[in-house]
Amino acid sequence: MGITRRTFIKASMATATAAAVGLPVSQAALAAAKTMENDWRWDRGVCRFCGVGCGIQIATKDGKIVATKADPDAPVNRGINCIKGYFNGKILYGKDRLTKPLLRMKDGKFSKQGDFVEVSWERAFDEMEKQFRKAYSELGPTGIGIFGSGQYTIQEGYAAMKLMKAGFRSNNIDPNARHCMASAVAGFIQTFGIDEPAGNYDDIEHTDTAILWGANMAEMHPILWTRIVDRRSKHPNMRIVNLSTYSNMSSDMADLEIIFRPSSDLAIQNFIAREIIKRDAVNWDFVKKHCVFATGPYDIGYGMRNNSDFAFKKEMDTQAEQRMHTLDKFEAIGQRRKPGTKVPQDAQAKPGAHWLIEFEEFKKGVEPYTLDFVAELAKGDADESLDQFKAKLQELADLYVDAQRKVVSFWTMGFNQHQRGTWVNEQAYMNHLLLGKQAMPGNGAFSLTGQPSACGTAREVGTFSHRLPADMVVFNPKHRKTSEDIWHLPKNTLNPKTGSHITKIMRDLEDGSIKWAWVQVNNPFQATANANHWIKAARKMDNFIITSDGYPSISAKVSDLILPSAMIFEKWGGYGNAERRTQLWREQVPPPGEARSDVWQILEFSKRIKLKDVWGEQKVPGLKAAGFTDGKMPNVLNGARKMGYKSDDTLYDVLFAHERNKKFAWPDPIANGHDNHTVDLLGDGWFVEKALFEEYAQFGRGHAHDLADFNLYFHKDVRGLKWPVVNGK
């Protein structure tokens, strides 16, 4: 049977429309669609556009993705895609895809002021290595940095983190997830002692109330929103509340819309806490069993530089707030001071400090947050009367306090990019814990995620400047020892000093204390606030910046070397979503031209650096830790020799291509006929992505972060697994 493209499209549209409205589909239309798909290869994957983690199906033909659709068996999205999901294939085929390395050159040599010229990978790595050695020789581990990402695959983040921390002995790696999730992480760690949401998306189908705190889920997380709306349509007791600084699409289906003044959500949270106490609604059985009361300093500054040396003239007044803040009348009431009082920001060095208090002191702390006070402070709609706003706040408190009502609170960047983001995250947990409405079906405070693996990679893998895998941290001696044991490193290889976070890496470029930086799966020179500072630093200072990307982003354009990266389904990978669900996928199509996976780039570059280059004594200004000489990382080469290493061994040999990893051989039946360009290019026959995943998983198994075996994620009936995985479930 012959079929034209036009006929197929018409038949497909008719089929989809008929199916959507429940009409029978003609056999001819079904046959036409099936004929067109005869030589397509279908496999499953996961959407790369946000942290929801929707499952998709991918069709390929002749080395190209020809279709994507929602996976009907995916428990997250249940056969539905939002508009973003349909672009998973299309994003690979833009006309401006990067396909060759580009180096700034003039007269045949690298020049900071030169134009981009196509070069070979060998030439690109030659210059990258030369500039690395220059910066490392001058400044040591603190003179280099990596801009990581919440869009890293699990294997990419793990490889980058291990190369930096175990190889280069530098903690100057930090993801763009610092911008969007640091507040959430700090809130989790301070409240529960462990990172990541305790709830599940399935809470939606069990709750009576969805309260959105600055999260426009209808537009930003539309798949979860469809589940909330579906629950609203089927459950007569279900209510939706949308708290926002402006009306948005989520308000259309909300039973209650509360428009508040920016940053006043903290006061609203305290009002709810006061109401819980006032109405004698504290769940004391729950609180006494699971909770303590704590507080911390309020004079913590605003995360800016402590001096104005680099501030532009128009920034001076804002910069001054970092050192001294003048209280307005509302802040004065909250702090029991007079309006206009100037408060030195003395607790900047330890903003996370906290100490235990008694319930009576906590009660006293929220006492000023009366309905009258909070309404005057928080009302954000000029056209709404104060009495109307008060009635809405009262209704909000009623919903939370009702002992028979289950409540899920959702938030994302509204909280997390807040000037007091950690505080407001903790306040959300505060109220759920006071009520005993936490970590139960239909009850819980739920931190949503914006990037596809901000949870599963940026946080869990440990790509932050203070972290190691599975919630461990670099400044804890026991955590360093555990990591050194798993990685087979000599004692004191790992650096105990917290590195520069992503904004400080930018500041370090600006003041010249970092001179070599690698951007991976990230666009920080566009996405980081005050970009005018960082772009100027990239172009004017004595540094060398590399950007690995699929497209010529702003960060690529301000760099000195651009490396063309394979994109999502041009490589093997995995993500972890906001409900702790880990999902892996196979390489579906080859990358274009000379584009290569980020894993290959990391491992290939590691072949150029030897133990003797980085494991000798290194200066680390400010390092002060037990077992270390102040300001120095020790020479660990003797310890390395005792472990069977040679000083001429490369970091590739010691960190990656060791015998423990090489036992994962390629080809592997789990590939099911799919290629692996990373393995082919490395050329030594080990299944890189599987080996990295299994090594990483050792950190979490038995420590409440248990991942399943790599192969289980590819089973026919598995659509990702939420950790901790217990007995394969």
Side-chain angles (χ1 to χ4, degrees):
M1 175 178 115
I3 184 170
T4 66
R5 181 174 183 274
R6 179 177 177 79
T7 302
F8 167 71
I9 291 173
K10 288 172 68 176
S12 297
M13 289 175 64
T15 302
T17 303
V21 298
L23 296 176
V25 180
S26 75
Q27 294 302 310
L30 286 172
K34 193 170 183 180
T35 299
M36 177 62 84
E37 295 184 20
N38 268 345
D39 52 355
W40 291 5
R41 178 177 69 176
W42 285 95
D43 198 21
R44 67 177 188 263
V46 58
C47 181
R48 65 97 58 233
F49 284 111
C50 81
V52 172
C54 294
I56 64 171
Q57 294 183 337
I58 308 139
T60 55
K61 178 183 177 181
D62 299 331
K64 297 282 187 180
I65 292 177
V66 293
T68 60
K69 62 183 179 181
D71 185 344
D73 296 321
V76 172
N77 52 312
R78 306 173 180 184
I80 302 172
N81 267 355
C82 76
I83 186 65
K84 293 177 286 186
Y86 287 105
F87 281 83
N88 279 284
K90 297 177 186 294
I91 59 169
L92 305 185
Y93 302 117
K95 293 180 180 179
D96 53 347
R97 268 299 296 271
L98 297 168
T99 59
K100 289 180 178 291
L102 300 169
L103 178 65
R104 289 188 182 274
M105 299 185 75
K106 191 174 183 179
D107 299 328
K109 297 180 180 180
F110 165 68
S111 170
K112 186 84 176 171
Q113 285 72 47
D115 295 326
F116 284 116
V117 175
E118 290 183 355
V119 295
S120 67
W121 276 101
E122 184 79 10
R123 176 69 184 91
F125 279 141
D126 283 347
E127 193 63 43
M128 192 169 163
E129 176 190 351
K130 176 183 175 182
Q131 298 295 334
F132 173 88
R133 292 183 180 279
K134 175 184 172 185
Y136 204 88
S137 174
E138 178 185 348
L139 299 169
T142 60
I144 60 171
I146 287 181
F147 293 99
S149 178
Q151 296 164 59
Y152 268 145
T153 68
I154 291 168
Q155 293 91 339
E156 288 165 354
Y158 183 72
M161 180 272 302
K162 189 177 184 185
L163 179 62
M164 277 293 276
K165 298 193 177 191
F168 301 156
R169 309 174 82 188
S170 173
N171 291 324
N172 288 352
I173 176 172
D174 210 60
N176 57 1
R178 171 77 64 174
H179 296 322
C180 60
M181 299 310 298
S183 300
V185 173
F188 278 122
I189 294 293
Q190 287 209 343
T191 306
F192 302 108
I194 187 171
D195 192 12
E196 305 293 357
N200 303 275
Y201 298 156
D202 291 347
D203 286 327
I204 294 169
E205 282 74 38
H206 294 276
T207 195
D208 306 309
T209 324
I211 300 181
L212 283 54
W213 289 87
N216 181 11
M217 293 177 70
E219 293 182 82
M220 300 299 103
H221 296 87
I223 295 302
L224 295 183
W225 183 245
T226 64
R227 290 176 61 173
I228 290 173
V229 171
D230 183 62
R231 173 68 171 170
R232 177 70 180 84
S233 68
K234 295 176 180 177
H235 181 49
N237 198 37
M238 177 72 175
R239 295 293 179 267
I240 301 172
V241 181
N242 185 35
L243 291 104
S244 179
T245 56
Y246 61 95
S247 285
N248 54 43
M249 194 182 292
S250 298
S251 299
D252 294 344
M253 288 299 297
D255 299 282
L256 177 63
E257 180 194 59
I258 299 177
I259 305 299
F260 62 89
R261 199 178 80 177
S263 296
S264 64
D265 43 359
L266 293 102
I268 297 173
Q269 292 279 3
N270 280 341
F271 161 72
I272 295 169
R274 185 181 185 277
E275 287 293 298
I276 293 169
I277 296 168
K278 177 185 171 185
R279 302 186 194 190
D280 196 24
V282 176
N283 185 332
W284 282 111
D285 288 342
F286 183 94
V287 169
K288 288 177 180 178
K289 187 180 292 186
H290 300 294
C291 305
V292 295
F293 293 90
T295 191
Y298 52 81
D299 50 342
I300 60 173
Y302 297 91
M304 297 179 285
R305 284 187 184 269
N306 224 346
N307 59 62
S308 57
D309 293 353
F310 293 91
F312 299 136
K313 187 175 181 180
K314 291 184 178 180
E315 299 172 333
M316 294 289 189
D317 55 342
T318 303
Q319 179 65 47
E321 294 286 321
Q322 179 66 18
R323 299 183 298 276
M324 184 77 70
H325 178 67
T326 303
L327 301 182
D328 64 25
K329 74 171 186 176
F330 298 112
E331 292 170 319
I333 291 172
Q335 295 186 23
R336 281 71 162 183
R337 296 170 183 257
K338 293 181 179 180
T341 300
K342 294 184 181 299
V343 180
Q345 301 299 290
D346 292 334
Q348 294 179 40
K350 293 188 176 181
H354 53 279
W355 52 89
L356 296 181
I357 58 174
E358 297 297 326
F359 171 71
E360 288 302 319
E361 191 173 350
F362 172 80
K363 180 179 177 181
K364 182 179 177 182
V366 298
E367 179 56 34
Y369 294 89
T370 63
L371 179 61
D372 289 343
F373 169 65
V374 173
E376 183 186 357
L377 163 61
K379 188 175 80 72
D381 183 353
D383 296 327
E384 185 174 60
S385 74
L386 192 61
D387 285 341
Q388 287 174 316
F389 188 69
K390 285 182 181 180
K392 289 183 176 182
L393 293 180
Q394 201 72 55
E395 185 177 349
L396 176 66
D398 292 344
L399 293 171
Y400 271 107
V401 169
D402 184 349
Q404 304 305 311
R405 175 172 287 278
K406 296 179 180 180
V407 179
V408 180
S409 300
F410 292 102
W411 68 89
T412 179
M413 298 307 108
F415 273 12
N416 296 341
Q417 295 183 342
H418 202 297
Q419 62 180 347
R420 290 291 181 257
T422 300
W423 291 4
V424 76
N425 270 263
E426 292 170 349
Q427 285 179 306
Y429 301 125
M430 168 185 77
N431 287 323
H432 277 266
L433 292 169
L434 282 171
L435 294 164
K437 296 184 179 185
Q438 177 66 19
M440 301 174 183
N443 272 323
F446 201 111
S447 169
L448 297 169
T449 314
Q451 296 189 87
S453 208
C455 293
T457 303
R459 292 152 70 173
E460 286 304 305
V461 167
T463 65
F464 283 84
S465 60
H466 65 294
R467 290 180 77 156
L468 292 163
D471 282 356
M472 295 193 293
V473 289
V474 299
F475 47 81
N476 185 312
K478 291 181 180 178
H479 294 177
R480 292 197 306 275
K481 184 181 186 305
T482 297
S483 302
E484 288 171 347
D485 289 346
I486 290 174
W487 286 336
H488 292 249
L489 305 176
K491 180 181 178 182
N492 287 348
T493 301
L494 295 178
N495 187 340
K497 185 177 184 296
T498 297
S500 293
H501 54 72
I502 190 168
T503 306
K504 190 171 186 303
I505 294 175
M506 289 294 191
R507 292 171 183 167
D508 292 345
L509 288 170
E510 188 175 41
D511 62 26
S513 54
I514 283 182
K515 294 194 173 185
W516 185 94
W518 191 353
V519 177
Q520 298 174 338
V521 204
N522 192 353
N523 186 14
F525 288 93
Q526 182 169 1
T528 305
N530 294 330
N532 48 351
H533 282 265
W534 324 132
I535 292 172
K536 179 181 177 182
R539 298 307 313 136
K540 300 296 184 183
M541 296 297 292
D542 175 21
N543 53 43
F544 188 80
I545 296 171
I546 311 103
T547 291
S548 297
D549 207 333
Y551 285 96
S553 62
I554 294 296
S555 297
K557 292 174 181 178
V558 303
S559 297
D560 302 295
L561 173 63
I562 304 173
L563 302 178
S565 287
M567 295 183 70
I568 179 169
F569 298 122
E570 297 165 350
K571 58 193 176 186
W572 287 70
Y575 287 152
N577 77 352
E579 63 167 354
R580 310 179 318 282
R581 184 181 298 275
T582 305
Q583 301 179 79
L584 307 184
W585 67 83
R586 301 177 178 94
E587 181 176 317
Q588 303 296 323
V589 293
E594 296 179 27
R596 304 286 185 261
S597 74
D598 289 86
V599 168
W600 178 83
Q601 294 175 38
I602 293 162
L603 269 59
E604 192 67 20
F605 186 69
S606 74
K607 294 178 179 179
R608 291 172 169 258
I609 309 300
K610 298 180 177 180
L611 296 188
K612 64 184 180 183
D613 299 325
V614 287
W615 281 13
E617 184 177 280
Q618 302 292 342
K619 58 185 177 184
V620 179
L623 188 157
K624 196 174 185 66
F628 292 81
T629 301
D630 288 356
K632 291 181 181 179
M633 289 290 294
N635 186 322
V636 295
L637 289 172
N638 285 336
R641 292 186 193 100
K642 291 176 183 177
M643 298 178 75
Y645 303 135
K646 300 184 292 292
S647 60
D648 280 330
D649 285 342
T650 69
L651 294 181
Y652 178 73
D653 298 325
V654 173
L655 301 183
F656 302 112
H658 48 70
E659 291 306 311
R660 301 178 303 284
N661 277 349
K662 284 189 171 181
K663 71 181 181 183
F664 297 101
W666 180 270
D668 185 309
I670 205 70
N672 196 29
H674 288 254
D675 295 329
N676 190 322
H677 81 274
T678 300
V679 171
D680 292 343
L681 289 166
L682 288 171
D684 41 7
W686 59 289
F687 192 169
V688 175
E689 293 85 358
K690 185 174 184 176
L692 292 176
F693 183 88
E694 289 295 343
E695 183 182 273
Y696 156 60
Q698 293 179 53
F699 286 88
R701 290 174 181 155
H703 299 282
H705 291 72
D706 305 70
L707 296 170
D709 292 339
F710 181 86
N711 285 5
L712 183 57
Y713 294 97
F714 292 96
H715 279 206
K716 197 171 184 179
D717 59 345
V718 171
R719 296 298 191 272
L721 293 166
K722 289 177 280 191
W723 61 259
V725 178
V726 181
N727 296 325
K729 297 182 179 179

